[in-house]
Amino acid sequence: MILVVMGVSGSGKACHLTCLSLQLGWRLHEGDDHHPWENIEKMARGEPLTDQDRIPWLLQLHGIIQREISAGANAIVTCSALKRAYRQMLLFGETPRPCGGSPPAREGVWFAFLHGPFRLIQERLVARKGHYMSADLLQSQFDALEPPADAENAFTVDIQRSVPEMASDIERAISTVGLGEGWNTYTWSSPHKALRGPPAEIQP
């Protein structure tokens, strides 16, 4: 199984990458480590990335996902994956086809959508040190965000809980769908729902 931990910058993807990989013993891949230098410089200047800027990055992450699937491995990948078109590129590794041209999901790949209020995430970004992503870009990420639909093999995680609690929530969710070492069943009756409590407001 490949678990893509997605959400806007500051939602806690990197924290979950470490916590989850330790809990599950899965290989891990931090999406931010694969951005081209030009993208990093642009974000550091406070300039939002365009779709064209993201294509080489998304295709590189698709290559990682494809290699892990081919190896039969369980792995975690972090990626903002803000738009459905970006998620399609992660899954199928090509410029997205017109609507209806590609299936919405790929067997064995699930998205954990880290979801929470704008103000909380903004506070985290302002307090974060040593990262190239400017807090000024958060609004542009919320503007671009297209939350994953049910058909995309996605479930929502409330980021207002602690990192260990959220990691446990995600582990419980993938256990619910019957996944794990050697898992081969990828169905869940209602995948796209908050795992605990009411959904958090995502608008500023």
Side-chain angles (χ1 to χ4, degrees), residues 5 12-18 27-35 57 61 64 76-80 128 131-132:
V5 180
K13 297 186 297 295
C15 293
H16 284 78
L17 181 81
T18 302
R27 298 179 186 176
L28 54 87
H29 303 277
E30 169 58 74
D32 283 350
D33 292 343
H34 297 276
H35 267 298
W57 174 58
L61 293 180
I64 291 170
I76 301 167
V77 177
T78 63
C79 177
S80 53
R128 187 166 66 176
H131 195 279
Y132 54 78

Side-chain angles (χ1 to χ4, degrees), residues 190-204:
S190 182
H192 192 259
K193 62 182 180 180
L195 294 172
R196 178 169 181 150
E201 178 58 52
I202 65 170
Q203 296 299 326

Side-chain angles (χ1 to χ4, degrees), residues 41-179:
E41 290 183 320
K42 191 171 185 178
M43 288 186 283
R45 293 193 301 267
E47 300 176 26
L49 298 181
T50 66
D51 289 351
Q52 289 301 311
D53 291 331
R54 287 187 170 95
I55 287 175
W57 174 58
L58 293 167
L59 291 178
Q60 187 170 354
L61 293 180
H62 164 74
I64 291 170
I65 291 171
Q66 185 60 45
R67 286 196 300 273
E68 295 289 22
I69 290 174
S70 297
N74 292 319
I76 301 167
V77 177
T78 63
C79 177
S80 53
L82 298 174
K83 297 182 180 181
R84 184 180 187 276
Y86 301 166
R87 297 188 289 273
Q88 288 280 288
M89 293 187 73
L90 290 174
L91 295 175
F92 303 108
E94 58 187 32
T95 301
R97 301 172 186 172
C99 183
S102 298
R106 180 173 179 179
E107 184 178 38
V109 182
W110 284 76
F111 291 91
F113 172 38
L114 305 190
H115 169 81
F118 180 92
R119 289 181 181 84
L120 172 61
I121 298 173
Q122 184 179 48
E123 290 171 1
R124 290 180 178 180
L125 285 177
V126 170
R128 187 166 66 176
K129 306 297 181 184
H131 195 279
Y132 54 78
M133 175 72 178
S134 169
D136 295 336
L137 293 177
L138 182 60
Q139 184 62 61
S140 68
Q141 293 215 332
F142 270 83
D143 291 342
L145 178 63
E146 298 172 1
D150 292 1
E152 293 183 73
N153 281 1
F155 55 89
T156 301
V157 182
D158 183 353
I159 69 166
Q160 297 177 92
R161 289 163 57 72
S162 71
V163 169
E165 286 176 326
M166 292 168 64
S168 294
D169 284 347
I170 295 173
E171 187 174 10
R172 186 172 65 252
I174 58 179
S175 295
T176 300
V177 296
L179 302 174

